[in-house]
Amino acid sequence: MAAAAGAGASTASIHQDQSTDRKCTLRTRNEFLGSPRTFFLGGTKCPTSLCSWLFGNSSPRRQLSIQAVASEPKPKTTDGNGISNRYLQRSNLSNDAESIAKNIIHHAEYSPFFSPLQFELQAAYIATAQSVRDTLIRNWNETYRLFQDKNPKQAYYLSMEFLQGRALLNAVGNLELKDAYAEALNNLGYTLETVIEKEPDAALGNGGLGRLASCFLDSLATLNLPAWGYGLRYRYGLFHQKITKEGQEEVAESWLESGNPWEIPRLDISYPIKFFGEVVEGSDGRKQWVNGENIRAIAYDLPIPGYKTKNTINLRLWSTSVPAESFNLSAFNAGHHDEANQAHANAAKICNVLYPGDDSKEGKILRLKQQYTLCSASLQDIIFHFKERSKNKVNWSEFPNKVAIQMNDTHPTLSVPELMRILVDLEGLSWEEAWNITQKTVAYTNHTVLPEALERWPLEIMKKLLPRHVEIIEKIDEQFLLSIVELHKPTGFTNFEDTLKKMRILENVELPPWVTSLLVSSSESEEVSSSEQEIDEDATSIDDSPKVTAKVTKKPVSTAPGMVRMANLCVIAGHTVNGVAAIHSEIVKNEVFNDFYKIWPNKFQNKTNGVTPRRWLYFCNPELSKVITKWLGSEDWVLRTDDLTKLRQFAENDELQKEWREAKRIRKLKLAAYIKEKTGYTINPDALFDIQVKRIHEYKRQFLNILGIVYRYKKMKEMTPEERRAKYTPRVCIFGGKAFATYVQAKRIVRLITDVGAVINNDPEIGDLLKVIFVPDYNVSVAEILIPASELSEHISTAGMEASGTSNMKFAMNGCVLIGTLDGANVEIRECVGEENFFLFGAYAHEIAGLRQERREGKFKPDPRFEEAKAFIRSGAFGKYDYTELLGSLEGNEGFGRGDYFLVGKDFPAYIECQDLVDKAYKDVKAWTKMSILNTAGSGMFSSDRTILQYANEIWSISPLPVP
C-alpha cells in the first residue's frame, strides 16, 4: 500500500478538511524513510501542534519502530526447541499517549484497510484496534509460552456461541490503558467514544448461552487460569434484525465486511474434517473411516485479556474450506461453474450462519456438520497440544490430568464419540482405555429443561453423515444398558424396561435381545422359560461375556424414527453434570435426569451463572462505578465484588442517594437519545424505565408483558386525565430481542408489541404517561446502553422453565429493581438483594404441573381482566393484523399451540397487581433509590469470577498460572 500512494512524490501535498474547512499536513513514518507522504485527518479538527509533538526532534526511526511480534511462537530452524531466547525480548511497545498515537499512525500506514491518504473515523477504529492488538499479542505470546513451559492442566471450553460484543473498550479497560488511548485519540482529532462506536458487534452468538461463554473467558483470563475457548467463525451470524410495520425482518449480518482487526488468521493451523463415507476394518483390526466428503477447519484466534494481569488467553474459532485442487477447473472451463465450485460452496456454508433452520433434512445435516466441525477440529487441536507438551513421551493415561473439556450445552456432544474415535482408531488404544480417558476428561453443562432444547437427532441422518460415530454411540449405548442391568440385578427388573428406554442414548430403537431376555415383567411381556433361551457362545457383549439371546414375544415395533439423545450421551459420558442456578440444578436432578441422578448422585452439581463485573458495570456504567468507588474507598470491588455489600451501610445516606440518582439519570438521557435515533420516538427521561430484553420466546413471556400494557392502556383510556395521573406512574416500556426466524408465534409477539407501541406512542391523550418501544437488533452493545439506564427489569418466565438467566444479574448489578417469578437465578438474586427489594408474583415451580393438569381437566377460570385484554386486541384497536392464532394459544384446554401451556392467563392477575405496587413504590423517590442501591449491594455473588473459581476447583481441577 505504501508504494501505491505516490512514493515518488518529492513534496507533501496539502489536503483540505471538508468538514472543518481547515488545512493540515501530517508527516508519517515514510517521510523519515525517504518517501514524503501526507496523512489526512478526516472530519476532525487537527491540533496545530500535532506534527511537532508526534514526531519531536529525536530519531524518528527509533521512535516509530515497532518490533514484529509473532502471534504464536514459531519453532527454531536450528534445533526445534523454539525461538532463541535473544529473540524473545518483549516488544518495544510503550503505554504513554504519545507512543500510542505513533503506533496508531503506524498501523494506519502499514496495516491498512482503507485509503492510504485518509484517516477517517473507520480507519481510526481499525488502526486503534490493531494498536491494542499489538499489546494483546505480546501478552498472548507470554501466556502461551508459560503454558507450554509449565504444562499445567488446562481447561477447554467448547461452545457453539460466544457473544463477545465490542472488543475495544473491554481490551483497553482490562489493560488499564483507557485514559492513555483516550488522550492519544484526542490528540489525533477523535474521541475514544466515537471510535468505539465504529466497531460492529462480533456476530458469533445470539443469547445468554453465548454471552455466558464470553463472560467465562474474561474471568478465566482475569483469574490467571490456563484455559482456551473453542467456537465457530460465523460469516453472517444469526441475523440482523430490522423492525418494520410488519414486525421482525431478518437480513444477514455484515460484521465481517470491513474485516475484523482483532482476529489473527492461523492459516498454517488446520485440521481435516470428514463427512459421509463408510467404515471398513483394516488388516490390523482397526476401524477406518474412508471416502466421503473432506474439508479442512482453519483456525482464527481472538486474544482475550484479563483485567489487571498480563494473562491473555485464546478464543480459537474455526472456519471451513477445501484445498485449491478441489476446485474443478475442467468443469469451470466447460461452463459448468456451479459444479466446479461445489466443494468450496459445501465447505463454506458450514460456517455461514449460526443455527441454520433445521426443519428440512438438508438443514439438519448442516447443523450436524457445524457441531461436528467444532468438536473434531477442537479435539484434534487439543490432542496436538497435549502431544506437543508431552515432548514425544506421550502417556495417554495422563490425558485427563492435563486436559479438561467442558461442553457448553449439548451442541458439543459429538466431542464424546470423536475423542473415542481418535483414541481407538487413530491412536490404537483399547476401547476400555479410551472410555476411561473420555469419562475422566469431559463434563457437561445443562442449560435448559425445555424438551425441544434437549437435542435429538435422527439416527438415519447421523448414520449417513457420521457412520463411524454412530457405531461408537451404539456401543456406548449398549455398554450403558449392560451396566444398568448389572447394577439392578439384585432387585429384579419388574417395570424396568420403560426406565431403560427413557435413559438410553438411542430412542425408538429396539433393545438388544440380551437385554430383553433379562427384563421379565408380568405386566409388560410374556415370561420367557428357560427352555426358550439359548446361549450363543460366539456372540459377545461389551465386556466380552457370552450374550444371552432370547426368543420372546415382542411388542409392536414403534414406527417413530430412531433418534440420538445428545443430552443422555452427555450425562452418560461426562464425569460431571451441572445446572446453572440452584432451582435449575434441583429440577435437573429431580425431573430432567432423575433416573441418572438415582444411579450417580455424585455426578450432579450446581454452578450458578455469573457475569463479568468489568463489562457489565465498571466499563458500561462509568458514572455509577465512580459513585461506588467513592463510597467504598477503592476500586477493589471490580475484582472482589463481595465488597459491594458495604454499600448497604450507606443506602439511606442522602448524599449517596443524590449521587446515585444523578448517575442513573445520565444513563437514562443517553438511552433516550439512542431510542430517538433508532426508532424516532421521544421518551421522557423522568419516567420509569421498564425493560425486558432477551430472546423472544413464549416461555420468557414477553406476551404477558405486552398483555399487561394493553390492559393498562385500556384502563387509562377509560379515565379522565386527572384520574390517570393520580393512578399511574409515567412509564416507558422497552423491549428488545430476536425471535428465531422460523418461530412463528415468537414473531407474532414481536408484531403485537410493535403494533401496540405504534398506537400508544401516537395517542395525544396518553402523552408521556406511557410509551412502548421495541429496540431493534438487540445485542451486547445495545445491552450496554439499556442496562445502565434501567430502573425496573422484567424476568417473568413461567416458573421452572428458565435455567438461570444472566441479564437479571446484569440489571441488579446496575441498581435495577427486578419484577419476576421465582425462576432461574431470580431465586438467588431475591435472597441476596432482599425480598423487600424484589417484586415477586406468579405460580411456583412445584405448582406448574398441577396447574397444567387443572387446565387439561377444564377447571381453569380466566380472570375477567385477562379476557378484557384479549378482547381489546381482537377489537382491532391496534390495527388490522389478525391475532387469532396468537391469542388462540391462550385458549382451549390442551393441544399443540393451545391450552396456555406457559400459564400466561394464570399469572396475569398477579402480574398486573404487582405492577400496581411498582407504580406506588416509584413515587417514593427515597425508598426507590434505597432499593436500587441495595440491588447493587446484593449482586456481588453473581460475578462470573465466582462461578469460574467453582468450575476450576470442583470440576476441572485447574490452578492459576499468572504470567510474571
Side-chain angles (χ1 to χ4, degrees), residues 198-223:
K198 293 303 294 183
E199 179 179 358
D201 275 37
L204 299 171
N206 174 40
L209 182 81
R211 185 51 237 172
L212 178 76
S214 294
C215 282
F216 279 5
L217 292 186
D218 178 272
S219 288
L220 284 163
T222 297
L223 297 171

Side-chain angles (χ1 to χ4, degrees), residues 475 478 482 486 514 538-548:
K475 191 168 182 179
E478 189 170 354
L482 178 65
E486 291 291 333
W514 66 267
D538 296 321
T540 57
S541 66
I542 292 296
D543 64 350
D544 296 326
S545 61
K547 271 189 181 176
V548 178

